[in-house]
Amino acid sequence: MMTGDTKDKLIEATKKLLLSSKAPKKITARQISSEANVNLAMINYCFGSKDELLKIAIDSIIASEFKQYAITDISHSPKEKLKKVLYHICEVTIKYANITRLSVPYVLLDAPIEIPDEILPYIKEHFHDTRNEQFCKILAYEVISFLQLIFYRAEDFYKYSGVNIFNEIQLKELIDNQVDMLLGGS
């Protein structure tokens, strides 16, 4: 069996288990390999770890949501477009909260930094070459990692700040304030 085929089987099996499980946190590598009908050792061989496989499967689930989303309204400023993208990212993250929460520690601490690249074009467009690439990348990382962290610690963040990120109005206000603070303006 080819490694690519094995990888695909493992990813599809993991997605199936994630979407059907009432307790996705308890999904084991053994369950995944059994569902995929491949040797257990292939998870580490193909992905390095179960955490990486989970991240890839979760990313694939979420990516299907983003394929349906595109900003076509060019009348909005880059900052307003950024806010819309962040709202959508958060909506999808919350929609799949039972599985996205599993990958946040791995994404924040171990995975390659990729998610900020999704919002980087809006930040660069906002600054019109008045800020360098490094500045824009750091800002994109700051926005995304902040949202990931408050999502992961939503209950503690609510106790601390009084902001319930699962309340759409409060979440939008939080994103608006954060983007305005980091990009300037109100």
Side-chain angles (χ1 to χ4, degrees):
M1 184 182 309
M2 296 175 52
T3 305
D5 187 39
T6 302
K7 280 184 168 185
D8 291 343
K9 283 183 173 186
L10 287 166
I11 292 168
E12 290 307 312
T14 304
K15 288 168 48 177
K16 181 179 177 185
L17 289 169
L18 285 168
L19 292 171
S20 65
S21 176
K22 293 191 188 298
K25 189 175 187 174
K26 295 182 180 182
I27 294 171
T28 65
R30 191 169 304 283
Q31 287 173 302
I32 295 168
S33 66
S34 176
E35 180 71 30
N37 198 26
V38 300
N39 186 302
L40 177 62
M42 293 305 287
I43 292 174
N44 284 339
Y45 178 77
C46 293
F47 299 98
S49 70
K50 179 182 121 187
D51 288 337
E52 178 65 15
L53 172 56
L54 285 171
K55 178 204 169 291
I56 290 168
I58 292 167
D59 287 352
S60 177
I61 293 166
I62 291 172
S64 65
E65 290 279 338
F66 285 108
K67 287 179 185 173
Q68 302 168 22
Y69 181 80
I71 295 179
T72 55
D73 186 358
I74 58 171
S75 66
H76 286 85
S77 69
K79 185 164 69 168
E80 290 306 312
K81 290 177 193 175
L82 172 62
K83 288 177 182 180
K84 285 181 175 235
V85 168
L86 292 172
Y87 301 149
H88 186 65
I89 288 171
C90 289
E91 286 171 354
V92 172
T93 301
I94 289 168
K95 177 180 178 180
Y96 292 104
N98 62 330
I99 61 173
T100 53
R101 195 166 192 287
L102 289 175
S103 67
V104 171
Y106 179 73
V107 169
L108 278 170
L109 301 174
D110 296 313
I113 298 172
E114 299 168 334
I115 299 171
D117 290 340
E118 301 297 321
I119 66 166
L120 184 59
Y122 303 104
I123 292 173
K124 290 167 81 174
E125 185 182 354
H126 171 77
F127 285 112
H128 304 290
D129 296 324
T130 61
R131 300 290 186 174
N132 66 26
E133 176 94 2
Q134 182 181 45
F135 178 89
C136 293
K137 282 185 171 187
I138 292 169
L139 205 55
Y141 181 76
E142 188 171 343
V143 170
I144 293 296
S145 61
F146 172 73
L147 290 174
Q148 289 170 325
L149 188 58
I150 63 167
F151 171 72
Y152 187 71
R153 300 200 55 200
E155 188 176 315
D156 293 325
F157 186 73
Y158 174 72
K159 288 177 187 174
Y160 175 75
S161 68
V163 175
N164 177 359
I165 65 163
F166 298 105
N167 175 294
E168 186 178 337
I169 293 168
Q170 291 182 29
L171 177 63
K172 283 186 175 188
E173 186 176 317
L174 174 70
I175 291 170
D176 288 346
N177 290 337
Q178 190 70 12
V179 170
D180 289 341
M181 180 181 73
L182 293 172
L183 270 57
S186 57

